[in-house]
């Protein structure tokens, strides 16, 4: 079976064929058009024509508020020209194949449900750490979308009751990449604009000040995850995004997680904290998994 799987991001569109063993082949990447739908169609036509076309289906991970069940995009995130349209239906009409679309963070979570760290649980929460924080609630091995398809939009969580109208008090600013940089700058007393890779390289070289900054970042993350656990009572919480591949981060999150549940009179059972199994390919793998699930239900 030949499934074209795409991860449409704000800067690039990654694509590949994925087979039944989750092997990705014929990989490629093209610049995401930010101009209009016509330019997007032109780019997708080029992608579809590569490797001869004739696909059995299309699975797409994309930003925005998405009703995957009906293939409807309320928004397209940074793709402002995608708004209130039956995007999956438009794709099916254009390419004459069954198509599934889903929000990118939820696709990353579905990769874990189908093939990764959440295969053995019914209920889970996934937090994807990046520029913002993608979230996904898994209930009975299915994505919980919410009444308005916005469940899991945890970047908007408030972290400071004294500044509720300040965007910098939202969770994306505290525990996204910007928040990590801020904590390390505070700990070192420097204003360098380090990348996440550079920060962890310094930490892994035993820079104690950098480690202290990451530790404070992990503490704030653990507190918010604790609040999520109080609400959801899940079996596992999976941490994704590029920095989730760093064992030090997971170790520090677990340290603070354990200390929170050691508090007296806490009637909540702790979930198991795990790193996501998939990193850069998670969105495509999750979209592929849900395409398979959706079409097995149809048949």
């Amino acid at each position: 079976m030949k499934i074209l799987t795409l991860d449409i991001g704000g800067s690039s569109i990654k694509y590949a064929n994925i087979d039944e063993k989750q092997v990705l082949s014929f990989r490629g990447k093209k610049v995401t058009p930010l101009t209009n739908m016509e330019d997007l169609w032109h780019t997708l036509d080029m992608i579809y024509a590569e490797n001869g076309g004739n696909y059995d289906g299309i699975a797409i991970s994309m930003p925005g508020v998405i009703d995957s069940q009906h293939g409807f995009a309320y928004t397209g995130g940074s793709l402002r020209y995608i708004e209130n349209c039956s995007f999956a239906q438009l794709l099916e009409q254009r390419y004459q194949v069954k198509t599934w679309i889903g929000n990118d963070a939820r696709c990353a979570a579905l990769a874990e449900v189908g093939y990764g760290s959440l295969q053995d649980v019914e209920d889970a929460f996934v937090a994807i750490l990046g520029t913002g924080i993608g979230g996904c609630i898994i209930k009975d091995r299915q994505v919980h979308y919410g009444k308005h398809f916005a469940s899991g939009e945890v970047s908007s969580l408030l972290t400071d009751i004294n500044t509720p109208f300040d965007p910098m008090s939202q969770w994306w600013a505290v525990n996204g990449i910007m928040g990590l940089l801020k904590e390390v700058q505070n700990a070192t007393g420097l204003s360098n604009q380090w990348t996440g890779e550079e920060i962890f390289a310094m930490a892994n070289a035993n820079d104690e000040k950098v480690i202290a900054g990451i530790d404070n970042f992990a503490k704030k993350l653990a507190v918010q995850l604790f609040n999520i656990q109080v609400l959801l009572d899940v079996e596992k919480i999976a941490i994704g995004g590029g920095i989730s591949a760093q064992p030090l981060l997971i170790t520090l999150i677990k340290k603070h997680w354990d200390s929170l549940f050691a508090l007296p009179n806490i009637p909540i059972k702790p979930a198991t904290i795990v790193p996501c199994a998939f990193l850069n390919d998670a969105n495509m793998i999750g979209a592929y998994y849900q395409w398979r699930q959706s079409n097995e239900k149809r048949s």
Side-chain angles (χ1 to χ4, degrees):
M1 186 171 287
K2 188 178 175 184
I3 309 300
L4 175 62
T5 310
L6 303 98
D7 179 11
I8 301 177
S11 58
S12 65
I13 301 175
K14 296 189 295 183
Y15 56 96
N17 295 345
I18 301 183
D19 64 20
E20 289 83 353
K21 295 182 179 180
Q22 301 89 57
V23 175
L24 282 70
S25 59
F26 301 101
R27 292 171 175 266
K29 180 190 292 188
K30 296 191 183 299
V31 175
T32 303
L34 300 178
T35 46
N36 54 54
M37 187 71 84
E38 183 178 347
D39 290 340
L40 177 64
W41 287 129
H42 177 69
T43 301
L44 295 180
D45 287 346
M46 288 193 295
I47 292 172
Y48 191 85
E50 288 189 19
N51 193 30
N54 298 318
Y55 293 95
D56 297 296
I58 299 175
I60 293 181
S61 161
M62 58 186 288
V65 178
I66 311 294
D67 175 358
S68 294
Q69 184 177 355
H70 297 99
F72 192 87
Y74 288 92
T75 71
S78 59
L79 307 182
R80 302 299 183 187
Y81 51 82
I82 298 180
E83 186 175 12
N84 293 322
C85 72
S86 300
F87 191 48
Q89 183 179 0
L90 294 175
L91 287 157
E92 289 186 347
Q93 291 172 348
R94 192 174 189 92
Y95 301 115
Q96 298 298 301
V97 293
K98 294 177 180 178
T99 300
W100 183 89
I101 63 172
N103 168 270
D104 44 14
R106 289 168 176 164
C107 286
L110 286 166
E112 300 302 318
V113 171
Y115 311 113
S117 62
L118 303 179
Q119 293 182 76
D120 59 341
V121 300
E122 298 292 321
D123 301 337
F125 180 77
V126 180
I128 306 297
L129 308 180
T131 303
I133 303 176
C136 182
I137 299 169
I138 300 296
K139 179 67 177 174
D140 298 326
R141 296 189 58 78
Q142 302 294 322
V143 169
H144 174 68
Y145 289 97
K147 184 66 175 179
H148 305 98
F149 308 101
S151 174
E153 292 292 332
V154 293
S155 270
S156 299
L157 285 173
L158 302 178
T159 64
D160 188 342
I161 62 171
N162 297 309
T163 58
F165 302 108
D166 181 359
M168 292 299 102
S169 74
Q170 293 178 334
W171 198 22
W172 72 268
V174 175
N175 279 129
I177 295 300
M178 181 189 299
L180 174 62
L181 175 61
K182 182 179 178 180
E183 292 295 342
V184 173
Q185 288 175 332
N186 289 341
T188 60
L190 301 173
S191 59
N192 300 50
Q193 297 297 310
W194 293 295
T195 64
E197 290 83 356
E198 290 170 336
I199 287 171
F200 279 96
M202 292 185 292
N204 292 329
N206 295 318
D207 187 315
E208 292 184 1
K209 291 183 178 179
V210 172
I211 293 172
I214 298 172
D215 185 64
N216 205 40
F217 173 85
K219 179 180 180 180
K220 293 179 178 181
L221 181 60
V223 168
Q224 292 299 330
L225 294 177
F226 175 88
N227 290 335
I228 288 172
Q229 179 65 2
V230 169
L231 290 173
L232 301 181
D233 187 24
V234 297
E235 300 163 79
K236 283 186 178 181
I237 295 178
I239 310 297
I243 61 175
S244 70
Q246 295 289 338
L248 174 62
L249 178 64
I250 302 300
T251 297
L252 293 176
I253 293 171
K254 288 180 177 179
K255 179 188 76 170
H256 292 294
W257 180 256
D258 292 342
S259 68
L260 289 168
F261 282 96
L263 293 171
N265 302 317
I266 298 295
I268 310 301
K269 297 291 185 183
T272 302
I273 302 289
V274 296
C276 286
F278 300 104
L279 297 173
N280 293 333
D281 295 329
N283 294 357
M284 286 193 289
I285 292 171
Y288 167 82
Y289 169 76
Q290 194 57 45
W291 186 96
R292 291 292 303 269
Q293 294 294 303
S294 299
N295 285 281
E296 285 174 6
K297 289 177 182 177
R298 291 183 192 176
S299 56

